[in-house]
Structure formats: structure tokens, C-alpha cells
Amino acid sequence: MTMAAKEQLVLELGHVEAQSEDDFMVCEGNELAFEHVMAFPDWPAPLTLLVGPPKSGKSHLARIWVARAQALVAEPEGVEALAAAGGRQPVLIEDADRAGYDEVGLFHLLNQSMRDDRPLMLTAQTPVAEWPYRTNDVKSRARLAAHFSLTAPDDILLSQMFVKLFADRQLSVDPKVISYLVGRMERSSEEVVALVELLDRLSLSRGRAITRTIAAEALNIRSNVR
């Protein structure tokens, strides 16, 4: 394989989204939510709400649930139609606090979920009390959901993730390189997975260990594909 071909493989990797169940890093900030998703379909009630800041892993976890539950992913303009169609196929409502969902339609869908025991997961960045709806109808239903708060990983946790994933690949990486990565990367567990994969490929293509130079190259590639 030519160097150009190797470089192309590396660059293509930058577009891979780490969204599978195997890629999800369970930690203190998401453990309860993860266990709840893994318990599906044995949920005590149909509604679930995941709340957390950007890059806390809630969308990743929601996508894991979509795959496990064969759930529909609702569009803001389609919630009324989903409620009218009825049925029990699971539904995901992402960014319930900011995606512009029709308030009446969402209220009807939440009611239908509760009435027909239809599994429905919502994600949001803010607590229910802060949701921008004109009436209390949607918020009153959302408060009945099983509620899980997720927190974004801190420096220590991100470093621990790097150590674990490098060890899984039998890669020895200087702690200073890990610190360099943690201080400059997008702060999410998904980005750790993507960076480790990319760094492994870059190291193989260069024929040398993962150094700060290679780490800087990997960060640059990831920043250009997001």
C-alpha cells in the first residue's frame, strides 16, 4: 500500500461516529441511565427522560436505545401524526427543550404513550421547569418520566478512558501525551473512542509510537471533520 493510500484510510476514519453500544463508556455520571437503557423492555413505566449538557453522552445513549428498541426517531413536525397513528412502537424525542416541537402534538404523543404503554424516550439539555412551552401540559407529562441526569466527563475521567482504551489495544502511551490530548480535545467519551482509533491508525501508518506530534496531527484531523 502506498503512503497516499495509507493517508486516505486515516483521513476517512475521521468521519466515523462512535455511536455503538460497545463504544459507550460507562462512568459515574451516566451509569444509572445506562443501566436503565440496558434494562429495556423491562421498564416500570413507558416514559424516560435523559437530561444533560452537550457531550454528556445522552444522544449516544439514546441512539443505543433506538437500536435496541427498534424505535422511531420523531421529527418536530411529525409528533402529532405519530400520536394519531397510535401503536406501541417505541419513539425517541431528541432535544425536547429546544428542537421546535409542536406543543399540542407533543402533548398528545406523551398522553398516547402513557395511555397505551408506548415506550418513549426524551432527551433535553435543561430541567423540565425551564422548557420553553406556553402551557404546563407538556411539562406536567414530562415530570412523570423516569428521570436520569448525565454529566459531562471531567479531565480525570477522560484520562482514564484513554488509558483503558490504549491498554485494550496494547499501546503504551506517555501520560504527558494523554494530558496533551485531554487539554485540547472535544470533551466527550465518543471523542476519546474516535481519537484512540485514529491515533492507532496514524501510529501504524508512520511506523512509530504515539508521540505528541502524532497526537497534534490527530487533533487537527478530528477538528477538520466535525
Side-chain angles (χ1 to χ4, degrees), residues 94-109:
E94 286 206 271
D95 296 321
D97 59 338
R98 59 189 59 234
Y101 290 96
D102 172 65
E103 184 171 351
V104 173
L106 184 53
F107 175 65
H108 289 165
L109 182 59

Side-chain angles (χ1 to χ4, degrees), residues 156-173:
I156 294 175
L157 180 57
L158 290 171
S159 297
Q160 291 172 341
M161 290 178 181
F162 273 117
V163 170
K164 178 187 182 301
L165 292 178
F166 283 137
D168 288 346
R169 292 170 177 264
Q170 298 183 324
L171 296 171
S172 178
V173 180

